[in-house]
Amino acid sequence: TCALPIYQVFVYRQLSSYAWDIQVNRKTAVLTLLSTVAIVSNFFIFIWAVNAGNILEASLSNFITPIVHIAMGKLVLKENLNHPQKVAIILALTGVLCLCLESDHIPWVAIALSLGFGGYGFLHKMNQLSSVQAFTLETLLVAPFCFMYLSYLAYRDQGSFTFAHPQLAALLFLGGPVTIIPLLSFIQ
């Protein structure tokens, strides 16, 4: 909820009016809906992983995700890599494989998160919308469900935004800007 005013200021200051002349056709709508599902699914997987004690495995996805992006670019989009890029990818793959082999199980959480973010990036690449336009539509698609869920938790007196724990409420409130500011910086 705190992120919304920051996002509005960003949009007002950074965009001219023509940026919002969005031509939404069936392909754009489907790609935006799928990217919304991908990013929301990733958030749920990440939150579950942290709550289930799989923090290291969730963190491993940060190293696997770039490899997934590169693989999708090479295999699906037929992008070319030069020699130094190939060497860098081999080194990154070696490091990730070493980390995976140290584990006593297949890092499914890391793989799921990496494929989810890879798919999200691929859907954005296929979409005709700018990053800011797509991000705005994704936010508009998911916001009503978030507000309904928060209202439900408040009604059941299970919400975290209570006066009983003001420090926790302040941290949750500040989580919006801490999340949105890097995202907005990234999509410029």
Side-chain angles (χ1 to χ4, degrees), residues 9-10 18 20 25-26 32 65 69 71-72 80 83 102-103 117 124-126 134 137-139 153-154 167 180 187:
V9 168
F10 171 81
Y18 74 88
W20 294 107
N25 56 31
R26 185 181 306 263
T32 303
T65 298
H69 283 290
M72 285 186 169
N80 293 320
H83 184 68
E102 285 181 10
S103 176
F117 277 123
H124 266 272
K125 183 111 175 148
M126 299 286 82
L137 288 178
E138 291 164 358
T139 302
L153 289 178
Q167 292 171 329
I180 194 98
I187 63 175

Side-chain angles (χ1 to χ4, degrees), residues 3 17 20 25 27 30 47-48 50 52 57 59 63 85 91 97 106 108 140 150 153 155 158:
S17 61
W20 294 107
N25 56 31
K27 179 183 175 187
V30 168
I47 290 167
W48 171 84
V50 169
E57 197 170 323
S59 298
F63 298 101
Q85 290 171 327
L91 291 173
L97 286 174
I106 296 172
W108 292 112
L140 291 173
L150 290 174
L153 289 178
Y155 174 77
Q158 296 175 338

Side-chain angles (χ1 to χ4, degrees), residues 5-184:
I6 293 170
Y7 184 66
Q8 288 171 335
V9 168
F10 171 81
V11 168
Y12 179 76
R13 293 190 62 196
Q14 297 293 323
L15 298 176
S16 59
S17 61
Y18 74 88
W20 294 107
D21 184 21
I22 300 173
Q23 300 297 322
V24 179
N25 56 31
R26 185 181 306 263
K27 179 183 175 187
T28 302
V30 168
L31 287 171
T32 303
L33 182 63
L34 289 174
S35 66
T36 303
V37 169
I39 198 66
V40 169
S41 299
N42 260 31
F43 284 141
F44 279 119
I45 292 170
F46 182 78
I47 290 167
W48 171 84
V50 169
N51 287 330
N54 295 320
I55 296 171
L56 290 177
E57 197 170 323
S59 298
L60 181 61
S61 71
N62 292 321
F63 298 101
I64 299 174
T65 298
I67 296 169
V68 170
H69 283 290
I70 292 166
M72 285 186 169
K74 179 70 177 151
L75 300 174
V76 179
L77 301 174
K78 307 297 183 204
E79 295 176 353
N80 293 320
L81 300 171
N82 61 35
H83 184 68
Q85 290 171 327
K86 290 176 185 176
V87 171
I89 292 167
I90 290 170
L91 291 173
L93 271 171
T94 304
V96 167
L97 286 174
C98 288
L99 289 171
C100 290
L101 292 174
E102 285 181 10
S103 176
D104 59 346
H105 65 283
I106 296 172
W108 292 112
V109 172
I111 292 169
L113 287 170
S114 300
L115 290 175
F117 277 123
Y120 178 73
F122 177 75
L123 290 167
H124 266 272
K125 183 111 175 148
M126 299 286 82
N127 204 335
Q128 68 183 17
L129 300 176
S130 72
S131 295
V132 173
Q133 290 170 333
F135 181 72
T136 301
L137 288 178
E138 291 164 358
T139 302
L140 291 173
L141 284 170
V142 78
F145 298 103
C146 294
F147 286 125
M148 286 189 293
Y149 182 65
L150 290 174
S151 298
Y152 169 76
L153 289 178
Y155 174 77
R156 302 266 321 221
D157 202 27
Q158 296 175 338
S160 296
F161 288 106
T162 64
F163 292 108
H165 304 285
Q167 292 171 329
L168 177 60
L171 287 173
L172 290 171
F173 188 75
L174 292 173
V178 167
T179 303
I180 194 98
I181 290 171
L183 281 174
L184 292 175

